[in-house]
Amino acid sequence: MSVRPILLLGDPRLRLKGRPVESFGRSLHGLLDDLTHTMRDAPGVGLAAPQLGEALNACVIEVDGQLHELVNPEIVKATGDDRDLEGCLSIPGYAAYVTRRERVWVVAQNRLGRRIKVAGSGLLGRALQHELDHLQGKLYIDYLDSLDELLPTGHGDDEDEDDATDGASNEVRTPALA
Ligand code: ZN
């Protein structure tokens, strides 16, 4: 298991569609382990194989201490709309408000190839949609009318300043990244 570099916006490999996973052996398990390790190191709530330069249909999501390894995932049902701040580990330093479905139901396979289902709303629902988009070569900025909608985020190493500092800042709190 190792922490691997996360591809950044501008790398054409982020735009490749993930190929369906057909083999559930050691190389898939190594990839899933690397995804989890890299996601936790970032830290983030999700990471998709294309973000590590592997055009495969696999991603991991960790919300509320629950790790989901999703292979060949598909959204089978979605309800409602939800607008919230969203960020991406491949686009560090920025976030934007994106309208997503409020609740989604996903069917996928686990690392052994067994069929699993995950349903989620809130952060989990958003992370599911964000990661499944990565598997289609899609990024959240594709939903924006203009890149002017991107908001700079804090960088986490300014904890001693907190929000007691005077003077309004355009920076938003770092949202969950995936
Ligand atoms: Zn992302």
Side-chain angles (χ1 to χ4, degrees), residues 6 14 46-48 51 86-91 100 130-131 134 138-140 177-178:
I6 297 173
L14 283 175
L47 195 65
Q51 291 175 282
E86 186 166 327
C88 179
L89 290 171
S90 294
I91 311 172
R100 297 276 190 184
H130 183 108
E131 295 318 319
H134 272 302
K138 192 162 183 175
L139 302 171
Y140 80 85
L177 299 167

Side-chain angles (χ1 to χ4, degrees), residues 13-159:
R13 290 173 290 174
L14 283 175
R15 295 303 192 174
L16 297 176
K17 286 191 179 179
R19 296 186 312 276
V21 172
E22 287 163 358
S23 166
F24 294 82
R26 191 179 299 166
S27 93
L28 174 68
H29 298 172
L31 172 61
L32 290 168
D33 290 344
D34 286 354
L35 283 167
T36 297
H37 210 51
T38 307
M39 168 186 71
R40 286 174 176 165
D41 179 72
V45 299
L47 195 65
Q51 291 175 282
L52 295 185
E54 304 220 20
L56 279 172
N57 263 333
C59 64
V60 297
I61 294 172
E62 191 166 46
V63 173
D64 294 333
Q66 171 96 41
L67 178 67
H68 302 276
E69 294 180 334
L70 303 175
V71 180
N72 299 326
E74 248 186 282
I75 292 176
V76 292
K77 185 181 168 188
T79 57
D81 290 309
D82 176 56
R83 188 167 174 79
D84 207 346
L85 212 49
E86 186 166 327
C88 179
L89 290 171
S90 294
I91 311 172
Y94 294 94
Y97 284 93
V98 179
T99 300
R100 297 276 190 184
R101 304 309 301 269
E102 196 271 329
R103 186 171 186 84
V104 293
W105 286 257
V106 170
V107 169
Q109 287 167 283
N110 68 9
R111 62 165 58 207
L112 303 175
R114 295 200 191 101
R115 188 178 155 93
I116 54 170
K117 293 179 189 176
V118 183
S121 58
L123 180 56
L124 177 57
R126 183 164 294 270
L128 285 164
Q129 292 168 81
H130 183 108
E131 295 318 319
L132 268 66
D133 273 355
H134 272 302
L135 302 180
Q136 298 296 318
K138 192 162 183 175
L139 302 171
Y140 80 85
I141 55 172
D142 300 347
Y143 295 104
L144 307 181
D145 292 326
S146 153
L147 292 184
D148 294 341
E149 293 175 34
L150 286 175
L151 305 166
T153 58
H155 284 288
D157 41 20
D158 53 356
E159 283 158 31

Side-chain angles (χ1 to χ4, degrees), residues 150-178:
L150 286 175
L151 305 166
T153 58
H155 284 288
D157 41 20
D158 53 356
E159 283 158 31
D160 45 346
E161 295 176 24
D162 220 22
D163 37 9
T165 47
D166 51 358
S169 162
N170 284 331
E171 287 197 352
V172 295
R173 282 205 164 276
T174 307
L177 299 167

